[in-house]
Amino acid sequence: MEKQPNWVGKRYSRKEDERLITGRGEYIADLKVDNPLHVKFARSTIAHGEIVSIDTSAAEALPGVVAVLTGDDIKDRIKPLPTPPTLPLLPASYPRHWPLAVGHVKFNGEPVVAVVAEDKYVAEDAAELIVIEYQELPAITDPEYALSDKAPVIHSDMSTNEIFGMTLTGGVTEEEQAENAAKIDKIINEADVVISERFRIHRCGVTPLETRGAVAQWHDRTGLRVWMTTQRPHIDRVVFADLFDIPQNRVQVSAPPDQGGAIGVKAPVYREPLLIAYLARELRRPIRWIESREEHLMSVSQERDQIHDLELAADKYGRILAIRDRIIADNGDGCEGVFWGFIMPFYGAAMVPNGYDVPNCDISIRCATTNKSALSPGRAFGTMGARFAVDRAIDMLATKLDKDPADVRRENIIRELPYDTATGVHYDKGDFIAVWDKMMAAVDLS
């Protein structure tokens, strides 16, 4: 059998670079349509507040401006989210929202007004002329405070700031979960070694080289055609059809041939492309929107932001006996179709055991609505926080037992597959130990 090359630390040739660096890429901003209009959003400059008034007169008077829209202009013409295609199969509170803020802003960067103009520079100039008066409200930025009885509720259609909560172990009834919690208590109290620690994983941004964008056009015969920076055009197509009551066979959604990165943040159903599609049909002109870097940093590309209060019980040999994890996630405002912010930390909670054989677990999660933008998918899709907490606890366990952390990890890796974790994650096949040993040999850990 031919020996496989060792790629660790090696250089390798890339295939697509010449086309891209010589200007032959085809990104959303390169897309040409006839006689387009351009959109610029005026966004909230505060984290939380009531909209008192919006003065668009100066913007509307600027030559080249075609339309200026507020949330009040569209709230009776566009269905709000959630709509059925944007809902995951999880019990949660799904906040109602439109493409533009209606009466209330919930984070710095939320789209409030849309300006449509013949030229993108005119659109930007007009957006700067819009005067928005707010009655500022206290901004909630601490998820633990958000979940307390003292915190005001951010969304008027929610009774608390807890958008999602679940216990992932022990069964489906409260009685079963309480019985499991008591069992884990006993294991922890009787264990040779217990690591108890709070791990806080900060919010971070994902910044692909290319920001978001959308180009839409409407034809009375063929329907809606949308090009957008998306990782999931099939879902976007279903959402557009449902939201605007268009048969699916008259909606086409495409990602451009090239995208300057995504890393997960171009997967959700965001508000802005919904408005771009609406405007294309309303104004009967192609509509273009290319997001600025400032908009991107404010509105999307934020992930993680979790707190893990974790207890790990082990015997004197380093074998993990049980894990308890109480997780709180800062969900942001949650106004983001399909993922709603909490899907990522939910999946992270399910992945707390990771590839370790830990049948005894007590794991629960609460996701808090705050005055930040909603969590978006990013690298590791919500699991980095859980993996960091558990693996850091294993490092601490190894230090306490005076053992090599690599040896402690190998001792606890799942050895026989198929395997179902305590949280219900199913691993169908593979050889985790062989992979671990091959990795250790490849990196020459000694």
Side-chain angles (χ1 to χ4, degrees):
M1 183 176 178
E2 184 179 352
K3 185 178 179 181
Q4 295 296 312
N6 184 351
W7 294 103
V8 176
K10 299 295 191 300
R11 295 170 63 90
Y12 64 95
S13 298
R14 294 171 61 85
K15 299 178 180 179
E16 75 277 11
D17 289 12
E18 181 181 358
R19 179 176 64 83
L20 299 179
I21 64 176
T22 55
R24 289 179 285 142
E26 297 177 74
Y27 299 94
I28 189 70
D30 298 315
L31 186 68
K32 301 293 191 296
V33 291
D34 292 333
N35 196 26
L37 295 170
H38 300 263
V39 171
K40 179 66 179 180
F41 292 95
R43 296 175 180 272
S44 173
T45 56
I46 66 172
H48 192 203
E50 301 290 344
I51 299 173
V52 176
S53 65
I54 302 176
D55 184 354
T56 62
S57 57
E60 292 170 324
L62 197 67
V65 170
V66 174
V68 180
L69 291 87
T70 69
D72 285 338
D73 294 327
I74 66 167
K75 67 180 182 180
D76 296 323
R77 308 191 71 175
I78 300 178
K79 289 188 292 186
L81 268 59
T83 55
T86 65
L87 291 173
L89 298 176
L90 285 171
S93 296
Y94 295 94
R96 185 177 64 165
H97 64 283
W98 285 265
L100 299 172
V102 176
H104 186 192
V105 292
K106 301 172 182 71
F107 70 94
N108 187 335
E110 182 173 4
V112 180
V113 184
V115 176
V116 188
E118 298 284 355
D119 180 275
K120 64 181 180 180
Y121 302 107
V122 172
E124 185 148 359
D125 288 344
E128 292 181 359
L129 296 174
I130 294 168
V131 179
I132 307 172
E133 182 184 351
Y134 301 101
Q135 181 177 341
E136 198 161 353
L137 299 172
I140 300 175
T141 58
D142 179 355
E144 290 185 287
Y145 174 69
L147 294 172
S148 72
D149 294 336
K150 299 178 182 178
V153 177
I154 292 172
H155 289 289
S156 61
D157 55 339
M158 291 172 55
S159 58
T160 72
N161 288 322
E162 183 170 319
I163 190 170
F164 174 79
M166 178 176 285
T167 297
L168 287 83
T169 50
V172 297
T173 68
E174 292 184 3
E175 291 76 16
E176 291 172 324
Q177 292 166 3
E179 183 179 344
N180 180 68
K183 182 181 76 170
I184 303 304
D185 267 341
K186 187 173 188 297
I187 294 172
I188 291 173
N189 291 335
E190 295 176 356
D192 296 328
V193 184
V194 175
I195 303 299
S196 181
E197 188 65 57
R198 165 169 279 209
F199 299 98
R200 183 153 200 162
I201 296 84
H202 60 76
R203 180 171 285 233
C204 65
V206 178
T207 52
L209 289 174
E210 181 191 33
T211 58
R212 298 178 299 154
V215 178
Q217 61 183 18
W218 173 264
H219 191 282
D220 286 337
R221 181 177 59 84
T222 57
L224 181 66
R225 182 76 174 93
V226 182
W227 297 265
M228 56 189 293
T229 51
T230 178
Q231 294 172 255
R232 309 180 80 181
H234 299 88
I235 289 181
D236 292 307
R237 176 175 176 259
V238 174
V239 171
F240 286 136
D242 178 75
L243 196 68
F244 302 119
D245 296 316
I246 307 169
Q248 285 189 33
N249 63 355
R250 299 184 69 227
V251 178
Q252 289 180 280
V253 178
S254 302
D258 296 309
Q259 288 199 63
I263 323 174
V265 302
K266 294 175 181 174
V269 172
Y270 288 114
R271 288 181 264 206
E272 295 92 344
L274 303 179
L275 189 67
I276 302 307
Y278 165 79
L279 289 169
R281 185 169 69 169
E282 188 74 8
L283 300 176
R284 296 303 202 266
R285 291 268 300 274
I287 308 291
R288 291 174 62 90
W289 168 66
I290 306 298
E291 181 182 51
S292 71
R293 178 61 64 189
E294 182 182 21
E295 288 179 295
H296 181 93
L297 291 172
M298 289 193 298
S299 303
V300 296
S301 70
Q302 298 179 5
E303 235 277 46
R304 300 173 183 170
D305 212 346
Q306 299 176 19
I307 299 169
H308 290 255
D309 286 312
L310 187 136
E311 294 174 280
L312 183 150
D315 64 21
K316 61 184 178 181
Y317 304 106
R319 180 69 184 168
I320 300 173
L321 304 174
I323 291 176
R324 167 171 287 148
D325 197 2
R326 295 288 179 263
I327 307 166
I328 294 174
D330 186 331
N331 196 71
D333 80 326
C335 296
E336 176 198 87
V338 177
F339 295 99
W340 300 94
F342 67 81
I343 295 296
M344 286 70 66
F346 158 72
Y347 183 57
M351 291 300 296
V352 166
N354 202 1
Y356 298 116
D357 180 13
V358 189
N360 300 303
C361 292
D362 178 15
I363 297 166
S364 64
I365 183 168
R366 300 178 72 194
C367 297
T369 302
T370 63
N371 292 121
K372 304 174 186 176
S373 66
L375 293 181
S376 301
R379 185 65 72 219
F381 199 88
T383 66
M384 197 288 292
R387 288 168 173 164
F388 171 79
V390 171
D391 276 301
R392 184 70 187 108
I394 291 175
D395 288 341
M396 297 166 72
L397 172 64
T399 298
K400 206 163 190 178
L401 295 174
D402 196 23
K403 290 180 176 288
D404 188 326
D407 292 339
V408 176
R409 285 183 171 82
R410 191 182 190 281
E411 174 64 27
N412 288 284
I413 288 173
I414 296 168
R415 295 177 180 275
E416 294 186 11
L417 282 85
Y419 181 95
D420 291 314
T421 71
T423 56
V425 175
H426 178 72
Y427 299 126
D428 54 1
K429 59 183 178 180
D431 190 334
F432 291 1
I433 290 291
V435 171
W436 175 267
D437 290 342
K438 187 173 183 179
M439 180 181 70
M440 289 296 100
V443 300
D444 191 24
L445 183 69
S446 60

